[in-house]
Amino acid sequence: MSLSDLRTLGRTGVRVSPFVLGAMNFGARGRTSHEESIALVHRALDAGVNAIDTADTYSHGESETIVGKALRGRRDEVILASKFHNAVDDDPTHRGNSRRWLTRAVEDSLRRLDTDHLDLYQIHRPEAVTEIDETLGTLDDLVRAGKIRYYGTSVFAPAELVEAQWVADRRKLNRLATEQVPYSPLIRGIERETLPIARKYGLGVLTYGPLAAGWLSGQYRVSAAQPESYRAENIPGRFDIDAPANAAKLVAADTLAVLAEESGLTLIELAIGFVLAHPDVTAAIIGPRTEAHLDAYLRAAEVTLAPDVLDRIDEIILPGTVFAERDTGKIPDALADPALRRSVA
């Protein structure tokens, strides 16, 4: 495998590199300066990465601004993707999937990114209070207006993906082109239904979190000290190696690290190789914060896992396994809200 081995994004005919550069860590959220972030963009493009994924919510728009600066003079080299739905500021009306917000959100993203169109515009999360008909109809209008080329979803449940296809067919809209989901050897839930549905409907699949938010960085080992994580302060308990809820995940991460060593690989190479070996995965989104992080990812792009290594991963972590619901990217409302599970007298 190499970054020059381009892959077709679903049924769009667009050819993308196996890596998409994720810009979530650019700016305040990832504590990465504009200069550092721009250098990462240029280094990734020079290495052969031809797609970038960001979102309006990342550092409240700062990530999009940085990407726009980095792409001056190079915009035509890049398949540029962004997302809408999550809050961009403290105004409660500046979020969601409604036509009212979406028509403003896309203009704000285009301005920050300093471009006249997005190649891919994604619904960052589903929203129960907004009809999917309204959201897809608005996205279809944006395609016809030339503001976006394609649209997709992110962390949609299997049933929501199917419903979106049905709505598009019924209303004769442009159909969604992609789904973005978390996927790694430690987070395999999408293998149950999401990936088969993507195959059925010809969706491109962009996966994020190949290192399971750092659990497969090589630092999470049995009997090792608690690794430092800038994410830990935002999600209490998720990275605590002493928490009972993380015990099985820690053992699995440690066992994968041993397998990587036995195979002459880094754990990062093992994790990346696993993700890109799945035939229904189009590309893996990587989110480096430093040049060292990016270099480690780029080295992993040259790795192809042998069948016996993939078989061993399946033995360590059964296909379809999810250790914690929060790792899936969105806890379903029916699980998160007690009112949806209990009758009220």
Side-chain angles (χ1 to χ4, degrees):
M1 182 183 70
S2 79
L3 290 177
S4 62
D5 297 328
L6 301 183
R7 300 171 170 209
T8 304
L9 186 64
R11 293 178 178 168
T12 67
V14 174
R15 303 281 285 169
V16 298
S17 52
F19 284 171
V20 173
L21 181 64
M24 183 179 73
N25 290 323
F26 292 175
R29 178 170 179 166
R31 303 170 186 170
T32 308
S33 72
H34 286 220
E35 294 74 19
E36 292 168 327
S37 301
I38 290 170
L40 288 173
V41 172
H42 292 167
R43 188 161 183 170
L45 296 184
D46 291 343
V49 175
N50 76 343
I52 297 177
D53 176 78
T54 184
D56 56 6
T57 191
Y58 296 160
S59 297
H60 304 294
E62 186 183 11
S63 171
E64 287 185 325
T65 298
I66 291 171
V67 171
K69 289 180 181 178
L71 293 184
R72 286 173 187 164
R74 304 189 70 168
R75 172 66 180 91
D76 291 342
E77 300 176 34
V78 173
I79 298 155
L80 181 58
S82 193
K83 301 183 286 292
F84 67 92
H85 166 81
N86 291 323
V88 297
D89 54 36
D90 293 332
D91 189 324
T93 68
H94 292 174
R95 65 195 71 182
N97 299 348
S98 69
R99 176 178 288 270
R100 180 181 183 276
W101 171 242
L102 177 48
T103 52
R104 171 173 170 177
V106 70
E107 297 294 345
D108 289 345
S109 286
L110 292 174
R111 173 178 48 78
R112 286 189 292 261
L113 288 162
D114 194 22
T115 186
D116 63 357
H117 74 279
L118 289 167
D119 297 296
L120 178 65
Y121 201 32
Q122 302 155 101
I123 310 170
H124 209 154
R125 293 293 186 272
E127 184 174 61
V129 298
T130 303
E131 287 280 359
I132 189 66
D133 300 53
E134 174 167 337
T135 306
L136 297 191
T138 307
L139 289 165
D140 184 78
D141 289 344
L142 293 178
V143 172
R144 297 175 190 278
K147 302 284 186 181
I148 64 176
R149 299 296 185 254
Y150 306 97
Y151 65 84
T153 53
S154 177
V155 196
F156 269 44
E160 291 167 332
L161 285 174
V162 173
E163 181 186 16
Q165 295 291 331
W166 287 353
V167 167
D169 286 348
R170 174 170 53 80
R171 295 190 54 192
K172 301 189 184 319
L173 307 174
N174 285 287
R175 290 167 61 177
L176 65 97
T178 61
E179 164 70 351
Q180 184 177 140
V181 278
Y183 186 49
S184 81
L186 287 180
I187 304 171
R188 303 185 61 171
I190 64 170
E191 295 172 339
R192 293 178 178 272
E193 294 183 273
T194 299
L195 290 178
I197 287 171
R199 185 186 317 126
K200 177 180 178 64
Y201 289 106
L203 298 176
V205 177
L206 305 175
T207 66
Y208 67 86
L211 305 187
W215 277 87
L216 296 179
S217 63
Q219 300 181 67
Y220 287 80
R221 303 295 300 269
V222 172
S223 300
Q226 173 69 52
E228 292 185 8
S229 171
Y230 80 98
R231 295 185 178 94
E233 60 195 57
N234 298 318
I235 314 176
R238 185 179 183 185
F239 302 96
D240 184 356
I241 62 174
D242 294 322
N246 293 331
K249 185 193 293 188
L250 178 62
V251 171
D254 187 79
T255 308
L256 288 173
V258 172
L259 174 62
E261 292 164 359
E262 293 173 347
S263 305
L265 303 168
T266 66
L267 186 51
I268 293 173
E269 291 169 342
L270 183 83
I272 293 288
F274 167 84
V275 170
L276 293 179
H278 199 294
D280 296 322
V281 170
T282 308
I285 299 172
I286 58 171
R289 293 177 55 242
T290 67
E291 288 193 1
H293 292 164
L294 179 58
D295 288 343
Y297 281 124
L298 294 177
R299 287 192 295 271
E302 304 299 321
V303 172
T304 300
L305 298 187
D308 63 312
V309 175
L310 292 169
D311 290 342
R312 182 72 183 111
I313 293 173
D314 284 348
E315 293 172 1
I316 296 168
I317 304 168
L318 293 177
T321 295
V322 173
F323 288 101
E325 191 66 38
R326 62 193 171 193
D327 290 341
T328 64
K330 180 182 184 297
I331 299 177
D333 292 339
L335 301 183
D337 185 356
L340 298 177
R341 300 194 301 274
R342 301 167 190 162
S343 298
V344 178

